[in-house]
Amino acid sequence: MSDCLFCGIVNGEIDANIVADDDHWVAFRDINPQAPTHILVIPKKHVATVNNLKAEDEVLVGELVRAAGQIANDEGIAEEGYRLVLNTNAGAGQSVFHIHLHLLGGRPLSWPAG
Ligand code: AMP
């Protein structure tokens, strides 16, 4: 069993409601949704936080963002608007230390975020 919860989802040890995936990323519904659409897009590669990204990860991060945009379209929230969030470290509320892009939408989203 992997030490990392999201690595466990990537390798199939832990169940998740997967909405899309490809060779480099997987997207699944957040278990504690904060909006009608709340999906996490994660790299299959383990990277703990944005602070740990390397130059070689630039394409991967682009893939995560592009996947989120495509999923927003598939979820029917692309036109009304949605938010992509990468919480980084405890001060920003990161609780799972495997980077994950939150895709939030389906309701009005106020700004600034809390
Ligand atoms: P963060 O607080 O930015 O690290 O976000 C972690 C997110 O992972 C939270 O929104 C949790 O609700 C979500 N989460 C934790 N465990 C699971 C799980 N097993 N399946 C889906 N989402 C999860």
Side-chain angles (χ1 to χ4, degrees), residues 20-44:
D21 66 348
D22 90 346
D23 288 349
H24 300 136
W25 55 264
V26 57
F28 53 90
R29 294 195 190 279
D30 196 293
I31 203 167
N32 182 23
Q34 302 301 310
T37 295
H38 187 175
I39 290 168
L40 303 176
V41 187
I42 72 168
K44 290 189 172 177

Side-chain angles (χ1 to χ4, degrees), residues 1 21 41 47 57 81 104:
M1 179 71 94
D21 66 348
V41 187
V47 181
D57 299 319
L104 295 146

Side-chain angles (χ1 to χ4, degrees), residues 5-6 9 14-17 28-34 38 40 85-89 92-102 104:
L5 174 66
F6 286 175
I9 289 175
I14 295 169
D15 283 341
N17 187 347
F28 53 90
R29 294 195 190 279
D30 196 293
I31 203 167
N32 182 23
Q34 302 301 310
H38 187 175
L40 303 176
V85 176
L86 276 167
N87 292 326
T88 301
N89 274 341
Q94 186 175 7
S95 59
V96 179
F97 287 82
H98 178 130
I99 59 172
H100 46 282
L101 187 58
H102 293 261
L104 295 146

